[in-house]
Amino acid sequence: MKRPTIGVLTWREGKRFAEPAYFRRLLRAGQELGSTVFLFSPKDVLAQGKQVRGFILDANGNWQARIFDRPDAVFDRYRYTPTQAFKDYVAFRRTSNFLYANNRLANKWRVHEVLYRDERMHRWLPETFLYNRANFVKMLGRHSFLYVKPLNGTGGRNILCIEKTDQGYRLLGRDRQRSKISTVVKQADAVLRYVDRWTRAEKYIVQQGLRLQLVPKRAVDMRLLIQKDGNGDWRVTGHGMRVGGERSATSNLHGGGKAMIVPEFLRPRFGDARTMEIVRDCEQLAYQTAESLENHFGRMVEFGLDIGIDVNGRAWLIEVNPKPAREVFREMGAVQQYKQAISRPIEYAMYLARTKGQEEKEKKYSRVSARR
């Protein structure tokens, strides 16, 4: 049987790639699974899509270009950046006809709209609106704690947290460079002016803040990874708690957070039985989210869910990432889960290539039989 080829679509400049350490592990995982995995960017597609300039690792671990025939399946890892290269990628995805393991997901607001249409999701969704002055004023009057987030942001950038206190309003956030922002303003109109400046460059959502301080003065959430396996079924690969740095608006690991094993973190606060209930609820949330989004956007391969657990143990869906990191498992020392988190997208892409190839053979056989 032919060794399947899996292309990984990503940003490239020369021999620099967006996620080099992850991609090295991904290529090794593909080799162990019996496939050939290579990296490519939109500009590497040649001969009307019949050939691709792909990048693999040579014997010395250096990136090497080779010309490949059209890949059997493609895993899209091209992540958002506010650049022309990303706009070119979007145009490429609209017109290319590769067999993709994952479709593109929309921005945060569109994802919220799609999920909110499914009544089964309502109990997990915090109140969320597209940012404008009227919506912000309404939310500020309704909640003592708010988040303002860019529609397309990743990694905790440009997120602002507004909390009503006895002294006025405390504003915490991270700018484009993930530098911490912290200030206190007295009046609501001053908050509005500040948030107007913060949101000037792009579109934002305003979201109900949640009391997630299971550790005093630190943001805490769960990162849950749900992926397709080698049989095409959704599976929860694992989860970890992320505890943010002191006075940080987010819990992101690259923003100074740390990772902890979920039951070990929750048991001292909620006890054994309640901890098991919370974990089951979070996993149910993950399966329902994957089903709802895939029904709308088409075939997907994985989602990283940021789930808030409030002081009462209630789970809330904070954010969905269709191209997630998986470092939470490495930070926790969960070696097997980390390895599985890397290999599963390749396993699914191989399954997809195999089943689609079989379908094409059966169609061809049916046409031949019909002519006899």
Side-chain angles (χ1 to χ4, degrees):
M1 185 180 169
K2 174 180 169 284
R3 187 180 178 92
T5 55
I6 309 299
V8 179
L9 179 60
T10 184
W11 174 88
R12 176 179 74 80
E13 191 62 52
K15 291 187 178 179
R16 291 191 303 122
F17 298 94
E19 305 171 273
Y22 166 59
F23 287 145
R24 286 174 182 275
R25 295 185 179 96
L26 197 66
L27 266 62
R28 284 196 291 270
Q31 197 169 22
E32 290 171 8
L33 290 165
S35 66
T36 298
V37 180
F38 62 82
L39 309 183
F40 75 104
S41 70
K43 60 189 174 187
D44 293 317
V45 178
L46 314 169
Q48 289 80 48
K50 292 176 182 175
Q51 289 186 316
V52 175
R53 181 191 299 107
F55 288 79
I56 57 174
L57 294 168
D58 65 20
N60 298 316
N62 299 315
W63 295 109
Q64 176 187 32
R66 248 184 64 190
I67 301 300
F68 290 88
D69 288 335
R70 180 184 180 85
D72 296 311
V74 172
F75 173 37
D76 184 352
R77 275 300 290 190
Y78 207 115
R79 301 172 87 178
Y80 173 78
T81 54
T83 61
Q84 183 59 45
F86 184 81
K87 291 177 184 176
D88 294 342
Y89 149 77
V90 172
F92 170 80
R93 274 297 318 246
R94 287 199 187 108
T95 57
S96 65
N97 62 349
F98 290 121
L99 175 59
Y100 284 100
N102 49 331
N103 284 295
R104 293 187 61 236
L105 203 66
N107 61 47
K108 290 184 181 71
W109 172 242
R110 187 79 185 102
V111 167
H112 175 79
E113 282 188 312
V114 168
L115 291 176
Y116 194 76
R117 283 194 209 128
D118 188 338
E119 289 187 3
R120 294 170 296 182
M121 293 296 304
H122 283 189
R123 65 191 176 98
W124 294 304
L125 297 176
E127 189 173 25
T128 305
F129 291 98
L130 197 59
Y131 176 83
N132 58 40
R133 276 197 159 213
N135 284 340
F136 182 75
V137 169
K138 179 169 64 178
M139 289 285 276
L140 196 63
R142 194 176 295 175
H143 303 287
S144 62
F145 191 28
L146 294 175
Y147 276 101
V148 175
K149 302 177 180 180
L151 260 60
N152 292 303
T154 57
R157 291 185 184 92
N158 282 19
I159 290 178
L160 187 66
C161 165
I162 301 105
E163 184 176 14
K164 199 180 295 182
T165 70
D166 293 339
Q167 290 75 42
Y169 297 88
R170 179 181 293 114
L171 281 66
L172 292 172
R174 288 188 181 274
D175 62 17
R176 292 184 191 279
Q177 288 72 43
R178 295 201 187 102
S179 299
K180 281 186 182 180
I181 306 297
S182 179
T183 188
V184 175
V185 296
K186 299 288 186 185
Q187 304 296 328
D189 58 347
V191 175
L192 188 55
R193 286 195 299 272
Y194 190 100
V195 177
D196 270 348
R197 288 195 301 272
W198 187 275
T199 58
R200 191 172 294 160
E202 54 186 308
K203 290 185 176 180
Y204 282 71
I205 58 171
V206 55
Q207 188 173 75
Q208 170 191 351
L210 305 168
R211 296 295 170 185
L212 306 177
Q213 284 80 6
L214 298 177
V215 176
K217 299 181 182 178
R218 294 179 189 269
V220 179
D221 67 14
M222 176 193 290
R223 164 53 67 91
L224 185 150
L225 183 63
I226 184 168
Q227 299 174 295
K228 293 270 186 72
D229 65 12
N231 294 313
D233 297 320
W234 285 109
R235 303 285 182 201
V236 172
T237 301
H239 31 56
M241 299 301 299
R242 302 184 303 179
V243 182
E246 192 166 355
R247 296 261 178 225
S248 173
T250 68
S251 62
N252 294 77
L253 298 181
H254 39 219
K258 66 176 182 176
M260 297 182 68
I261 294 168
V262 172
E264 289 184 7
F265 178 86
L266 294 178
R267 274 193 201 108
R269 294 158 177 82
F270 296 106
D272 286 342
R274 183 71 178 121
T275 291
M276 288 175 66
E277 287 175 9
I278 293 168
V279 171
R280 278 197 299 270
D281 190 46
C282 290
E283 292 184 351
Q284 184 185 348
L285 157 59
Y287 283 111
Q288 189 58 60
T289 299
E291 180 188 322
S292 299
L293 292 178
E294 194 169 41
N295 284 344
H296 183 84
F297 292 103
R299 184 169 54 236
M300 305 299 288
V301 65
E302 62 180 355
F303 294 110
L305 306 186
D306 295 344
I307 300 172
I309 298 169
D310 67 21
V311 293
N312 299 311
R314 180 177 176 180
W316 299 85
L317 179 60
I318 300 172
E319 198 164 308
V320 181
N321 189 337
K323 293 170 186 172
R326 50 218 78 212
E327 297 308 302
V328 67
F329 303 118
R330 195 165 66 147
E331 292 282 332
M332 292 190 307
V335 176
Q336 191 55 39
Q337 284 175 312
Y338 184 59
K339 188 176 178 181
Q340 196 171 54
I342 291 168
S343 65
R344 270 189 166 164
I346 301 300
E347 291 172 19
Y348 176 61
M350 290 172 66
Y351 160 82
L352 198 60
R354 186 172 65 249
T355 53
K356 288 292 180 182
Q358 188 60 37
E359 283 176 19
E360 287 172 9
K361 281 181 185 175
E362 288 172 2
K363 284 178 187 175
K364 186 176 180 182
Y365 178 77
S366 297
R367 286 195 297 268
V368 170
S369 298
R371 287 198 296 266
R372 284 175 182 166

